[in-house]
Amino acid sequence: MDVITDPQVFDGGYLPRRLEHRNAELKTLLRRWEAVTWDDEAEHVLIHGPSGVGKTVLTRIALRRLERRATVDRAHVRCLGLSTAGVLRSTLQGLGESPDETTPTEDLAVQLRERVDRPTIVVLDEADDLPSTDALSRLTEIPDLSVAPICHDHEEFLASVSKHVRERLQTGQLPLNRYGVDELADILDARARAGLSGSWTRSHLEAIANESAGRARRAIQSLRAAAEISEERGTSLPDIPVDDAYERAMGRVRRANLKSLPFHHHVLYELIRDAGKISSGELYDRYELVADDVYRGQPTPPLGEKARRNKLVKLDEYELIDCAENRHDTNVVLDERVASDVVKPARLLAQ
DNA sequence: TATCCACCGGAATTTATGGAAG
DNA sequence: CTTCCATAAATTCCGGTGGATA
């Protein structure tokens, strides 16, 4: 029998009907934004907190609420890896325009200014690197446009942003903290009711919650993994070890992360995975050794040393490796069971 | 504990790529 | 088709860093 009756409930984009244990935050956010429903400008908001505590969902639910009252012009932009032009372009796309790949930054800013003819909310998700671009300056100087950057470390964020932007953002901060075990268990209970059949117990949900370090995303993915394991083994859900579920959930995230990366990252990842742990110098040598073979027939040539270092940082961000901090440190694979399906490990080993 | 030096990471520069215009 | 001009990605350059070595 299917334990999972509605897989959508465990998708990243799933929006629960109601948001558990975030009432105060939701209220605050709605108050900052609600002016748009009577055609006034919304306030800027800086949303911050650890990953997986509901920052993105909060903005989505708040916007959904506002849209029930009035038509709202808004965009949700995933900023990770985007340049100034990239952010402006994505914002325009979110507002229904379609600027092409090579329109100059200046032109994009002008287009955006023309497009924003009434109060507009722009959520800037994954905004941690945004201060290194001047997208925030460009956006905040547009009349009627309110930004809502979402980041992890607000102090670091505000410190590296221009004075003009800082003045606008620091009064409107909205922190989200980790959930308590009880609160997480409530969240899991709601998901279980919506997406699972069969039985689960409060104590089982609490056990999963306890492993999740206060992060709802982890907890939810662990619950989903537990349900899958339960289907495969034919064991009832509460009998699935929490460790197994957590392992599987992490593995899935890592595999998805790796899959989303280009060829170069796969080559480096497989070299590190093959070694388990490896110094930067050794990694450099091995790459040189296999590069000609591995890249034969590839559209892109092997990378130089600096570019490789940048790829390692990305692999680190994606929780696939621990990247070396200095020249005596080592690069370590985090889960050697997570393999690339693009680069064959055997080809790397055959010198 | 002083010196060494391979490697890190930011900045400047070059190369690749793709629409737009002639 | 060629030229132009934009971004994005890669390379080059270089000062700083911190564990290793004596």
Side-chain angles (χ1 to χ4, degrees), chain A residues 26-242:
Chain A
L26 183 57
K27 227 172 167 177
T28 306
L29 187 54
L30 285 171
R31 202 165 49 235
R32 301 248 169 88
W33 278 355
E34 67 185 349
V36 297
T37 61
W38 55 81
D39 243 27
D40 273 344
E41 202 169 336
E43 293 171 39
H44 300 297
V45 193
L46 175 60
I47 300 167
H48 57 91
S51 67
V53 298
K55 300 186 292 298
T56 301
V57 192
L58 180 73
T59 61
R60 293 222 140 104
I61 297 228
L63 285 171
R64 191 173 67 184
R65 288 273 194 95
L66 292 178
E67 285 178 324
R68 284 209 285 256
R69 290 197 238 157
T71 310
V72 179
D73 279 10
R74 85 283 186 291
H76 186 108
V77 178
R78 295 188 59 193
C79 303
L80 192 68
L82 296 185
S83 61
T84 305
V87 172
L88 297 181
R89 200 180 306 123
S90 297
T91 305
L92 277 164
Q93 280 165 359
L95 293 169
E97 305 288 310
S98 36
D100 60 47
E101 209 63 10
T102 52
T103 22
T105 312
E106 203 54 53
D107 295 10
L108 289 168
V110 171
Q111 274 187 43
L112 193 53
R113 195 179 279 265
E114 283 167 5
R115 171 62 181 76
V116 177
D117 51 359
R118 45 188 300 248
T120 301
I121 294 170
V122 178
V123 177
L124 299 165
D125 209 347
E126 304 171 82
D128 293 86
D129 294 334
L130 223 47
S132 64
T133 73
D134 65 341
L136 278 166
S137 314
R138 298 300 192 121
L139 289 172
T140 50
E141 70 194 12
I142 295 174
D144 271 351
L145 189 153
S146 310
V147 295
I150 300 178
C151 71
H152 293 119
D153 184 340
H154 65 291
E155 284 175 6
E156 192 185 325
F157 187 90
L158 286 171
S160 42
V161 100
S162 75
K163 194 177 168 204
H164 167 262
V165 173
R166 181 160 52 243
E167 279 163 4
R168 273 147 212 265
L169 287 178
Q170 62 190 1
T171 54
Q173 296 189 45
L174 180 56
L176 269 68
N177 299 316
R178 291 167 193 270
Y179 291 100
V181 171
D182 257 9
E183 296 173 335
L184 270 189
D186 287 341
I187 292 168
L188 292 180
D189 194 60
R191 296 286 169 121
R193 280 173 205 283
L196 299 184
S197 70
S199 65
W200 59 89
T201 64
R202 181 73 186 183
S203 69
H204 181 238
L205 297 183
E206 280 171 2
I208 292 177
N210 203 35
E211 286 289 296
S212 307
R215 300 169 183 202
R217 192 188 296 135
R218 285 194 187 180
I220 290 163
Q221 291 315 310
S222 286
L223 177 62
R224 171 206 205 174
E228 285 173 2
I229 296 171
S230 155
E231 276 181 9
E232 289 163 16
R233 298 192 192 156
T235 345
S236 85
L237 191 55
D239 295 333
I240 305 299
V242 174

Side-chain angles (χ1 to χ4, degrees), chain A residues 278-280 312 316 321-332:
Chain A
I278 186 170
S279 70
S280 303
L312 292 183
D316 191 308
I321 65 164
D322 254 347
C323 183
E325 298 276 327
N326 60 58
R327 72 194 178 90
H328 304 288
D329 210 359
T330 55
N331 301 283
V332 185

